[in-house]
Amino acid sequence: MPRTPFAAVIAFAVLAFSTPTFAQTTIFNVSYDVTRELYKEINPAFEADWKAKSGEAVTVKQSHGGSSKQALSVLNGLEADVVTMNQSPDIDVIADKGIIAKDWRDRFPFKASPYTTTTVFVVRKGNPKAIKDWDDLTKKGLQVIVPNPKTSGNGRYTYLSAWGYSLQKGGDAAAAKDFVTRLFANVPVLDGGGRGATTTFTQNQIGDVLITFESEALALAREIGEDKFDIVYPSISIEAEPPVAVVDSVVDRRGTRKQATAYLEFLFSPQGQEIIANRDFRPRDAEVAAKHASRFPALKTFTVEGLLGGWEKAQKEHFGEGGVFDQIFQK
């Protein structure tokens, strides 16, 4: 049997020890509940992109639930490398405890919000209750399905959309409170999150109208069937800007800051933005947005910052203990 030359053995050994090897890295994304399908597509795309760029294998795991409930889980010790929530208060409440840096908005473009969406109505096919705008949701006998604003960012956007609609019509705070009170009087059940509300409406067949994010409504039409539901765009709605952040205390302890940061940066890349658009969220990238413009109807919108004094004020006034929502719900 021929022997391998000694020089070749030495060369092989040197090559083996000099070739970089990488351990498998796992990062954990804690997100809100209507982004399951989005991140099921984002995660493998990022994993492949990161492998090609760095040579390192990375796996992204994810968790979904009501946005505010997810934030509470992180506060209670759930080790998220990144959080991808649907409203900034759910990241601020984590930052207030020092788990996320206070400047999290400044670390990524668009105040760390890779896409937008808005609030729309989903009705039974043919719109048998003739629902066209927010006023129709206060009709007696109508059942409106919406998640709980105390646990769900989706629910908070719905509540604030209705409040802002009343203000935009010329009403004051008292008129807005009366309007939202009449709307929530038509809500038979408050689910913990947006996906739970969707299940109540579609599978349990409860309610005449589901108020939810446009992304969820478009996904319903595509995945369950356009023959079962219609989407109604109200005359005015809220612009939601779901934010993202690296969880500093976790990534520094686990040594995953580089991968976690790259993961969130991928959301703003052309490839990430294309996936975002295909999953029915409105992309930030101008070229990608122009390509998909026909899928997202023009809509008059307002923001929490522009009309309602910002999230800090809205959170305290409407959703804090004993706030306006508590008063309405008790009534």
Side-chain angles (χ1 to χ4, degrees):
M1 181 176 179
R3 293 184 177 182
T4 303
F6 181 73
V9 173
I10 295 297
F12 177 80
V14 170
L15 179 62
F17 281 101
S18 62
T19 302
T21 59
F22 299 97
Q24 181 81 20
T25 300
T26 299
I27 59 175
F28 190 26
N29 172 18
V30 172
S31 191
Y32 63 105
D33 60 354
V34 299
T35 57
R36 286 179 176 87
E37 291 75 19
L38 170 64
Y39 285 109
K40 282 181 181 178
E41 192 168 346
I42 285 285
N43 293 348
F46 166 73
E47 291 165 1
D49 183 71
W50 182 249
K51 178 73 172 179
K53 289 177 178 177
S54 70
E56 178 189 20
V58 62
T59 299
V60 184
K61 295 185 177 180
Q62 60 190 58
S63 169
H64 297 273
S67 186
S68 297
K69 291 176 68 177
Q70 291 289 79
L72 182 61
S73 294
V74 174
L75 286 173
N76 287 335
L78 183 62
E79 290 218 328
D81 297 272
V82 301
V83 289
T84 54
M85 301 301 193
N86 65 19
Q87 55 171 1
S88 58
D90 289 331
I91 298 182
D92 282 331
V93 73
I94 304 172
D96 288 343
K97 298 298 183 181
I99 301 172
I100 293 174
K102 292 281 190 178
D103 67 346
W104 63 267
R105 287 177 179 81
D106 302 325
R107 296 182 173 185
F108 299 97
F110 303 102
K111 296 182 179 179
S113 173
Y115 57 83
T116 67
T117 188
T118 190
T119 297
V120 301
F121 309 154
V122 181
V123 298
R124 307 294 175 188
K125 191 64 182 179
N127 196 5
K129 297 299 178 74
I131 296 168
K132 298 179 180 178
D133 211 344
W134 291 99
D135 288 316
D136 297 319
L137 305 183
T138 64
K139 294 177 180 176
K140 290 188 180 299
L142 196 74
Q143 285 194 326
V144 180
I145 304 302
V146 58
N148 190 341
K150 298 286 281 189
T151 59
S152 164
N154 193 328
R156 286 181 183 158
Y157 278 115
T158 294
Y159 171 102
L160 294 175
S161 290
W163 191 279
Y165 169 77
S166 180
L167 294 180
Q168 292 285 74
K169 285 185 63 180
D172 58 10
K177 182 178 180 180
D178 175 69
F179 178 73
V180 175
T181 298
R182 287 185 285 119
L183 191 158
F184 272 86
N186 285 343
V187 177
V189 59
L190 285 172
D191 291 287
R195 185 53 57 85
T198 298
T199 299
T200 294
F201 183 73
T202 58
Q203 296 183 22
N204 300 339
Q205 293 293 304
I206 297 173
D208 302 297
V209 55
L210 167 69
I211 312 178
T212 191
F213 289 133
E214 177 187 47
S215 55
E216 183 80 339
L218 291 172
L220 273 178
R222 182 180 64 250
E223 295 171 11
I224 296 182
E226 294 182 357
D227 60 326
K228 292 182 173 61
F229 309 106
D230 288 327
I231 300 174
V232 175
Y233 283 81
S235 61
I236 187 169
S237 191
I238 200 165
E239 182 180 63
E241 300 177 295
V244 301
V246 171
V247 184
D248 294 277
S249 65
V250 173
V251 299
D252 287 341
R253 183 169 61 254
R254 298 188 64 238
T256 54
R257 179 176 291 276
K258 179 174 62 175
Q259 296 87 346
T261 301
Y263 177 67
L264 295 187
E265 289 174 341
F266 181 78
L267 300 178
F268 296 89
S269 70
Q271 184 182 358
Q273 290 283 288
E274 186 70 28
I275 295 171
I276 282 167
N278 284 327
R279 279 295 169 185
D280 306 310
F281 297 92
R282 298 189 179 217
R284 295 288 199 176
D285 183 275
E287 291 187 8
V288 177
K291 177 181 175 182
H292 293 272
S294 62
R295 301 179 56 211
F296 302 107
L299 176 66
K300 183 180 179 182
T301 61
F302 63 87
T303 63
V304 175
E305 289 77 11
L307 182 65
L308 304 174
W311 271 110
E312 184 176 356
K313 179 177 183 293
Q315 179 73 17
K316 181 178 180 181
E317 179 180 328
H318 294 279
F319 309 116
E321 195 69 28
V324 179
F325 177 73
D326 283 349
Q327 299 165 27
I328 287 172
F329 188 70
Q330 290 167 5
K331 183 176 180 180

